[in-house]
Amino acid sequence: MTNIALAYSPITVDDVDAAIPFYRDGLGLEVVNDVSYDGHRWVSFGFPGQPGLSLVVSDPSAGRSPDDGEALQRLIVKGSGPGPYVFTTSDLDATFEKLRAFGAEVLQEPKEQGWGPRDCAFRDLAGNHIRINQV
């Protein structure tokens, strides 16, 4: 049987520098790569305990046409960009308080969901919808 796994997941932000503390210090991810090319920047974050999986944060026009980048930027600013991005944590309450302290917009405080998980939700500083499930 062939194994398949997710290697990269992109998250687009309007300001890569401003996004780094949220993902590194707030979510506890590790910066594993920081690449600049042709006026754009991609910062890859690794997940402790999940080698080979990276979250790649970049600006809207990185790797896209100017028209597509502008369209994506408009969606993200409205809070209608891709996502939600769903993470898991062993301590939902501690993660929630840590992200709230970073100034992330709280969409939902921790609560039991009728469909199963106990979770909370935020928007990162760029407006991306971030959900965090208790495991």
Side-chain angles (χ1 to χ4, degrees), residues 30-63:
E30 302 167 347
V31 175
V32 295
N33 205 0
D34 189 339
V35 176
S36 295
Y37 176 75
D38 199 23
H40 302 285
R41 187 170 172 208
W42 294 261
V43 176
S44 300
F45 294 89
F47 292 76
Q50 290 184 281
L53 176 60
S54 294
L55 182 74
V56 182
V57 173
S58 65
D59 66 82
S61 294

Side-chain angles (χ1 to χ4, degrees), residues 5 14 19 23 27 31-32 44 51-52 56 59 62 64 67-68 72 74 76 91 93 100 103 105 109 111 124 127 135:
D14 57 345
Y23 290 97
L27 288 176
V31 175
V32 295
S44 300
V56 182
D59 66 82
R64 296 177 181 88
D67 287 346
D68 288 349
L72 183 55
R74 286 192 300 273
I76 292 168
D91 190 338
D93 296 309
R100 180 165 41 193
E105 178 187 355
E109 296 199 9
K111 74 176 210 180
D124 69 7
V135 292

Side-chain angles (χ1 to χ4, degrees), residues 79-119:
S80 299
Y85 299 96
V86 182
F87 297 83
T88 61
T89 181
S90 59
D91 190 338
L92 183 64
D93 296 309
T95 303
F96 175 82
E97 292 303 331
K98 192 173 183 181
L99 287 173
R100 180 165 41 193
F102 268 89
E105 178 187 355
V106 176
L107 298 177
Q108 175 206 299
E109 296 199 9
K111 74 176 210 180
E112 299 289 335
Q113 297 293 353
W115 58 87
R118 181 170 181 264
D119 72 354

